[in-house]
Amino acid sequence: MDHSKDMIMVRFGELSTKGKNIRVFIKKLGQNLKIALKDYPSLQFDIKHDHIYIHLNDNKFEDIKGIIARVPGLSSFSLVEAVERDIDQLKNKALEIAKEKQLNTFKIITKRVDKLFPMSSDEINRAVAGKILSETNYKVDVHSPELPINIIIRPDVAYIFSKKFKGLGGYPVGVAGKALMLLSGGIDSPVAAFLMMKRGVKLEMIHFAAPPYTSEQVIVKIEDLLSKLNIYQPRIKVYVVPFTDIQKKIYEVAGTSYAITIMRRMMMRIAQRVAKCHHDLVLATGEAIGQVASQTLQSIVSIESVCQIPVIRPLATVDKVDIIDWAKKLETYDISIRPFEDCCTIFSVKDPTTAPKMERIQEIENKFDFTDLLEQTYRGIKVINVTSEKEEF
Ligand code: ATP
Ligand code: MG
């Protein structure tokens, strides 16, 4: 049989519960799949209300299944093989699948799109099942078969499929609004960014740099990290904030134990101004409860109290070992552990408070006029774009 008619059937999972938004979601998923698979221009996409079909033409399933498995918003997908509309061919193909799987129970499920096919769905089911029963030890289980084998009879060709490959789940990036992610060069924030994207949120990034204390290599690191996330979101905008002057001032006035708390409050003040200006609905960070002094519940309260918009922390309850597992899967881990300095490591202190007091914070912040400093810093923000697409945007 000519495999040029083989195709991939994409299922939506959680998406299908989305009521009247479903059409928007499916359209977005189709667009995102096309972008992710742009290096395979001869693929053909057929976007239907219940599935997306990707016609392989001259492409190989093995080459692209890894990409499809990484696009948010699809629950599973199957390679649907084209078979001639001939009952013996269908029987042989079904038998081949059953033997390959070596399971115990099966069921044949036939759907006829072409009602003129000489056999009814039930007759096809029985004929194909008969072949498997007579040549293997399989039993039929109509209620919960280990191996459901699906047959679709179309006017020109028949299709057969069984194996389901797991998709990433979540929602297509872009359907859930836009947020501003605080991205350091560390392990956590790229993972947090991925989890936001997986829920359909389009992200912009903000990075606080402290030149000349942090080298230009930090920007290369950020670009490399984001190029790993481009598979989920092909265009990512980064606001790079020149944070040196503010940091120096903080270390002058704050004393070591409160420096980090004040610094985080300044970061949040700048981030939310950027967010408001660029219509990002919420902020997001890679913080996890208790991971470091600035991430205790008390610290979170004192830092977030400067924010007028919500801060989402996708990793709030996740253990570091599990975050590292994710980072390895996302291929960001090796980039994150490159030994380039982050603005926080340069100015790091030995005795950061884990329970900052509001009065003390107020006292320190009253010692200097940070409004001007913030204004200057804000004006110095530079934008870079990290994209997997050829054209600039
Ligand atoms: P990460 O591995 O993401 O750097 P971390 O464990 O090092 O996190 P912190 O340095 O306390 O933790 O940072 C907590 C969060 O604050 C980060 O996940 C990130 O969202 C934000 N953040 C920290 N430093 C920066 C920075 N230089 N630029 C932008 N965001 C930052
Ligand atoms: Mg960090």
Side-chain angles (χ1 to χ4, degrees), residues 283-353:
L283 298 176
T285 74
E287 292 164 298
I289 297 169
Q291 200 192 72
V292 291
S294 61
Q295 297 172 26
T296 61
L297 290 183
Q298 293 97 320
S299 289
I300 288 174
V301 170
S302 63
I303 293 163
E304 196 164 326
S305 66
V306 302
C307 295
Q308 282 136 29
I309 56 174
V311 181
I312 311 251
R313 299 176 175 80
L315 300 176
T317 62
V318 185
D319 291 352
K320 191 79 185 189
V321 286
D322 297 325
I323 298 174
I324 289 175
D325 275 355
W326 267 115
K328 287 184 176 162
K329 276 191 215 139
L330 298 172
E331 297 174 11
T332 54
Y333 182 76
D334 288 338
I335 303 169
S336 292
I337 59 171
R338 279 185 207 160
F340 296 120
E341 299 292 359
D342 174 41
C343 71
C344 305
T345 44
I346 299 276
F347 293 93
S348 75
V349 294
K350 288 196 183 62
D351 59 341
T353 177

Side-chain angles (χ1 to χ4, degrees), residues 147-161:
L147 180 67
I149 298 177
N150 294 273
I151 295 172
I152 302 172
I153 308 284
R154 300 192 70 91
D156 53 338
V157 70
Y159 286 116
I160 189 162
F161 64 94

Side-chain angles (χ1 to χ4, degrees), residues 182-184 186-189 208 264 285-286 291 295 342-344:
L182 282 81
L183 188 86
S184 66
I187 296 166
D188 306 329
S189 40
F208 296 86
R264 290 260 180 259
T285 74
Q291 200 192 72
Q295 297 172 26
D342 174 41
C343 71
C344 305

Side-chain angles (χ1 to χ4, degrees), residues 73-85:
L74 62 100
S75 64
S76 67
F77 57 100
S78 296
L79 171 63
V80 180
E81 286 181 82
V83 182
E84 269 163 45
R85 287 163 33 110

